[in-house]
Amino acid sequence: MNKLINKDKLILFLRRVSTENQSLEMQVVADKKYRDVLDEDEYLEVNELGVSANKISLKDREKMVEVIRLIKQGEIAKVYVYDRSRLTRNFYEYLELVDLFIANNIEIIFTTTDASYSNFSSNYLVEGFNGILIEEEGKGIARRVADNNRKLPSRKFGFIVNKKDNMKKYALVSEYKTQLINLFEKANQIKNTKEFIELITVFSGVFNKPPMKIVKILTDCFYAGYEKIGERYALLSYVEPVVTIEVFSEVQKKVEPFISKLEGNLDERSSESFFIPFCNMCKNKMVYRKNKIGDTGLYTCSRKHKKISIEVSEFNKSLISYLSIVFSSVNKDALEKQALVILEKILEIKKREHYTTEKEIEEKELKIATSPKEQFYKSNLEKDIEKLKKLKTTRKEVKEQILICNNYKKNLEVLIEKIDVGSSLTENEIMNFVKLIVKECFVGKSTLTYHFFFNEYLDKDYIERMSSVV
């Protein structure tokens, strides 16, 4: 077996930016001097793009979960990261990471060029204090961003932003002004949920905006030329108001009881069509049609045949019931055995690829090292040097793929075990597995026919027996 596959632990370069618009360049430049002294197969690079540590918890950051798993499995020796805030902005999460690093003897190197920035310490008290600082800094950033967006948004529907002498002024767009005034006036007259839903539906069409955007306009005091600070309103003199603050306050009292009902209804509608079935007559995918707000949607088909339809809520209920049965019928031993065979085949291919690439690298390095000096001066070896760079990049990628496969092998039993939770999963959790397990479903006049992936691992007699009960 190639020695590089079993060599010492890897070095990890970890980077994170909060938004897609931010650049990794500063962090990449900062850790370049550390990467330059390493071979490509000695380190891994993990980049989290558009991940806000203020908004997304550690357990929901996919790449960080993988990093933590690699550390626990003893694959990582050292982590380079720009500063503590790139790890997390949460005090308790930071303490968890500190504990993880210390328990697994991980060396942490901060790459920031700020000479005054303190090094990582194995002292829990010191790092606990640093954890408080990064959380407070994160909260401060969030507050400043929110405050600026509230006072001086880069854009706001219905307004045109004029900037002069570094001062912004917000003027109403003439084509929207009358309709915005009309929206608030009609909102101030509603008496029940039906009238509120009709109002939102009508103006959703008028402004070509989703219903919740109309709700957001109605509840945003910016349209009255104010901002809300705590329980009081503060005047924004540079904003042309749609309504007075008095009228705005009256509208809030009117719409508040109906908003929560609408939000609940829209949440259900936004996620109700997560798996579209096929028509059993023409074998084409059915069409999803939304009904009016308050009603479930409909799957329907009438392509050169009598109309076939089913309510989305009815279809989803059946789908979730069948999924619960399927979870209980999986032959986990057979699935684990087959998965292991597949992983072994992939590993064998990748190890051969790694070995072949390593041989090519050795040949290129030998050729370059033994070439006469005059060839260097004449740049005759440029192509060989470029090829060598590409080979080393390939070797690094293959090594990472081998690492991932080995990680799956070690965790295969745990992954398979998760399948045996059908009875304890919530409906929303079961929905996450639908597209992984259900290949397709055909809707007939009075029948639903399911086709599953991994049929060879399912107890079909059990499914048939249980289906008759559903």
Side-chain angles (χ1 to χ4, degrees), residues 398-436:
V398 173
K399 180 66 190 304
E400 290 178 6
Q401 291 165 357
I402 290 171
L403 188 66
I404 291 170
C405 285
N406 280 322
N407 183 42
Y408 281 138
K409 274 183 64 179
K410 291 177 182 177
N411 289 279
L412 190 57
E413 186 177 343
V414 175
L415 292 170
I416 298 294
E417 194 63 33
K418 288 184 178 180
I419 296 174
D420 191 25
V421 292
S423 60
S424 61
L425 290 176
T426 66
E427 290 189 0
N428 286 335
E429 289 171 332
I430 289 175
M431 285 162 58
N432 294 330
F433 289 97
V434 168
K435 292 181 181 179
L436 296 175

Side-chain angles (χ1 to χ4, degrees), residues 323-378:
L323 256 293
S324 299
I325 295 170
V326 169
F327 273 118
S328 303
S329 71
V330 173
N331 185 331
K332 291 188 296 177
D333 291 337
L335 187 60
E336 182 176 353
K337 184 177 179 180
Q338 184 62 27
L340 191 59
V341 169
I342 294 171
L343 282 172
E344 288 291 0
K345 286 181 179 178
I346 295 173
L347 271 171
E348 188 60 36
I349 292 170
K350 291 301 173 183
K351 287 175 182 178
R352 284 200 301 268
E353 188 178 344
H354 188 280
Y355 179 79
T356 302
T357 306
E358 182 63 27
K359 284 296 181 184
E360 289 186 60
I361 288 173
E362 290 175 0
E363 290 172 6
K364 287 291 179 187
E365 287 178 335
L366 181 62
K367 180 181 178 180
I368 293 170
T370 57
S371 296
K373 288 183 179 179
E374 56 268 20
Q375 287 197 26
F376 281 99
Y377 299 133
K378 294 178 181 179

Side-chain angles (χ1 to χ4, degrees), residues 260-304:
S260 58
K261 292 181 182 179
L262 179 63
E263 287 175 339
N265 180 269
L266 290 175
D267 285 343
E268 290 175 7
R269 287 165 60 83
S270 65
S271 61
E272 70 171 357
S273 179
F274 62 92
F275 188 85
I276 299 178
F278 290 82
C279 171
N280 199 41
M281 293 188 72
C282 65
K283 310 304 180 187
N284 287 307
K285 187 169 283 191
M286 300 183 80
V287 177
Y288 168 64
R289 299 193 188 284
K290 286 184 179 179
N291 287 333
K292 64 180 182 179
I293 297 176
D295 295 335
T296 181
L298 198 72
Y299 290 128
T300 181
C301 183
S302 56
R303 294 181 180 88
K304 297 181 181 180

Side-chain angles (χ1 to χ4, degrees), residues 144-156 161-163 166-170 222 226-227 236-239:
R144 288 193 295 274
V145 170
D147 188 52
N148 188 66
N149 288 339
R150 188 176 65 248
K151 290 176 182 290
L152 298 163
S154 57
R155 61 179 180 269
K156 178 73 76 170
V161 185
N162 298 311
K163 191 172 182 180
N166 290 324
M167 291 291 292
K168 283 184 177 181
K169 286 196 173 184
Y170 296 80
F222 192 90
Y226 282 77
E227 67 164 327
L236 301 176
S237 58
Y238 46 84
V239 177

Side-chain angles (χ1 to χ4, degrees), residues 3 23 38 43 46 65 83 119 159 171 201 212 242 247 260 289 305 324 364 372 379 425 447 455-456 461:
K3 63 179 181 178
S23 172
L38 301 170
Y43 64 86
V46 174
V65 170
D83 61 24
N119 296 328
F159 289 92
T201 304
M212 288 313 297
V242 175
V247 170
S260 58
R289 299 193 188 284
H305 57 73
S324 299
K364 287 291 179 187
S379 302
L425 290 176
T447 61
N455 270 315
E456 61 270 35
D461 291 336

